[in-house]
Amino acid sequence: MKKTLLILATAFAVTLHAADFPEGSPKFATANDVVTKAAKENGKPTILVFSASWCGPCQEMKKEVYPSAAVKPFHDKFNWAYLDIDVDANLKLFESHKLESVPHLLFLDASGKTIDQQEGGSSPKEFAKKLEKVLKKVEPAKTASAN
């Protein structure tokens, strides 16, 4: 009985955490393997957002930047993953990239190669400019592969 309750409580906590994104946010996956698979299928670049519930700038980005009007036009142009480093698998991935602080965002091309990164928070307008810059980096690769 205890085991069943523990499993249910864990599932409920994960559901709450995953659903903890403000209205208007991009569709965040909460596991790297989900966005890796999506990128292979749809060819879009990926944003890995390494974050933590105890990180003030992370929570500000989550509430103010990702769902903002400035960032909204980019929601469908990327695969988005919100990876809480308090989850063991996410912490291992964070450490494998030799990252040291959150928020830390990695921008990957569809093959999983890092093409850019951002350490620390930013305003919605600054982040939208960053996303535009990242898309310009992947567009030449798409054009070259189409020829």
Side-chain angles (χ1 to χ4, degrees), residues 60-78:
E60 187 175 328
M61 292 281 291
K62 184 178 183 180
K63 292 180 178 117
E64 304 295 328
V65 176
Y66 308 130
S68 70
V71 174
K72 193 174 283 276
F74 298 96
H75 286 186
D76 293 335
K77 297 181 187 296
F78 292 90

Side-chain angles (χ1 to χ4, degrees), residues 74-147:
F74 298 96
H75 286 186
D76 293 335
K77 297 181 187 296
F78 292 90
N79 299 298
W80 296 75
Y82 195 86
L83 305 174
D84 187 326
I85 64 167
D86 289 326
V87 174
D88 285 340
N90 297 337
L91 180 59
K92 287 177 184 170
L93 182 63
F94 178 80
E95 291 172 340
S96 76
H97 284 283
K98 298 181 179 15
L99 306 179
E100 296 180 359
S101 64
V102 289
H104 202 117
L105 292 78
L106 292 181
F107 301 91
L108 313 176
D109 65 15
S111 69
K113 179 183 169 207
T114 302
I115 52 174
D116 207 334
Q117 60 183 307
Q118 174 179 312
E119 186 174 358
S122 62
S123 71
K125 190 175 181 178
E126 290 169 334
F127 190 61
K129 285 181 184 177
K130 178 70 159 188
L131 296 176
E132 197 170 313
K133 179 180 164 190
V134 169
L135 285 175
K136 286 180 181 172
K137 288 182 179 184
V138 294
E139 288 304 318
K142 280 186 175 181
T143 305
S145 65
N147 291 332

Side-chain angles (χ1 to χ4, degrees), residues 30 46 125:
T30 55
T46 297
K125 190 175 181 178

